[in-house]
Amino acid sequence: MVYLEQLQIWNQSINLTSITLNDEIIIKHFVDSLAALQADDVKVGARFLDVGTGAGFPGIPLKLARLDINMTLVEPVAKKVSFLRFIIGLLRLENIDIFDGTLERFLNERMPYGSFDYLATRALKHDLILKDGQKLLRQGGKAILFSSQPIPLSDLSLNWSLSREHTFQLQKGYGQRVISIVMPSV
């Protein structure tokens, strides 16, 4: 509830989300983010990379639900990064890192090759993740792609294969969501 309250307060002065009603934020951001835990059996201590996290979705709700995971948030918009730093401090979250920049800069500056068990995005076009994502994943790592429709198999290059899709309806008629779990082809 603290996260929700601060999101609404900050959203009045900087554009964190276009969704402003409590129930809509809870369902479209929090519930949607947490559905990743139903889509795949996330092992204890997993290392996550949330690309284009915006106001912290799905990364912060996942971290709140699973304190054991290690989370890295990538966000290029400075005002959103300020909010992320504030909310992480306020919630006293540990083992969560923020990279202030694009995925391309993250790759060039951090050189995090083979560092993550999961990479996730709700906001970015999937092709951006699929282009460089393999470099980031450990052996057996997976990408979690959030969408409103199943991922067209034609969107997956020869380098990726669909592991599974988790389709569900958001409460209150807010629509269908699909979480596609894709893995690098061996």
Side-chain angles (χ1 to χ4, degrees):
M1 293 311 294
V2 169
Y3 186 9
L4 173 65
E5 179 182 292
Q6 290 301 317
L7 179 68
Q8 290 178 316
I9 290 169
W10 280 65
N11 204 44
Q12 291 173 13
S13 57
I14 64 171
N15 183 25
L16 294 173
T17 177
S18 61
I19 300 168
T20 57
L21 300 175
N22 277 356
D23 65 334
E24 215 173 341
I25 291 171
I26 291 167
I27 294 167
K28 290 184 176 179
H29 286 317
F30 291 95
V31 171
D32 186 48
S33 294
L34 292 171
L37 298 175
Q38 290 183 320
D40 202 62
D41 185 22
V42 176
K43 69 179 182 177
V44 173
R47 293 182 50 87
F48 265 83
L49 178 67
D50 177 5
V51 182
T53 192
F57 300 105
I60 294 177
L62 290 171
K63 180 64 179 169
L64 288 168
R66 291 280 306 271
L67 295 175
D68 63 288
I69 64 176
N70 295 286
M71 182 66 66
T72 300
L73 308 173
V74 175
E75 176 54 47
V77 179
K79 290 178 181 179
K80 292 179 182 181
V81 170
S82 295
F83 171 75
L84 294 171
R85 291 189 196 292
F86 171 79
I87 200 69
I88 288 167
L90 184 65
L91 298 173
R92 296 189 175 123
L93 294 175
E94 296 178 0
N95 298 317
I96 187 166
D97 184 33
I98 302 166
F99 181 81
D100 182 358
T102 63
L103 178 59
E104 184 176 67
R105 264 192 53 223
F106 180 72
L107 284 163
N108 290 333
E109 292 177 20
R110 294 273 181 98
M111 299 188 48
Y113 301 106
S115 297
F116 298 96
D117 299 298
Y118 291 94
L119 42 112
T121 188
R122 289 180 69 231
L124 293 181
K125 291 183 179 181
H126 298 153
D127 59 339
L128 296 173
I129 295 295
L130 299 176
K131 178 182 164 228
D132 292 316
Q134 285 183 302
K135 300 174 194 173
L136 296 163
L137 291 172
R138 293 177 173 173
Q139 182 77 24
K142 301 171 185 177
I144 303 173
L145 308 174
F146 290 76
S147 183
S148 60
Q149 298 295 320
I151 190 167
L153 294 180
S154 60
D155 285 4
L156 299 176
S157 68
L158 296 174
N159 300 328
W160 292 92
S161 61
L162 181 65
S163 173
R164 74 180 294 247
E165 285 188 317
H166 175 66
T167 302
F168 62 101
Q169 295 294 321
L170 290 170
Q171 296 89 334
K172 295 194 173 192
Y174 285 136
Q176 174 178 281
R177 294 297 286 158
V178 180
I179 299 175
S180 301
I181 308 289
V182 297
M183 297 180 68
S185 301
V186 181

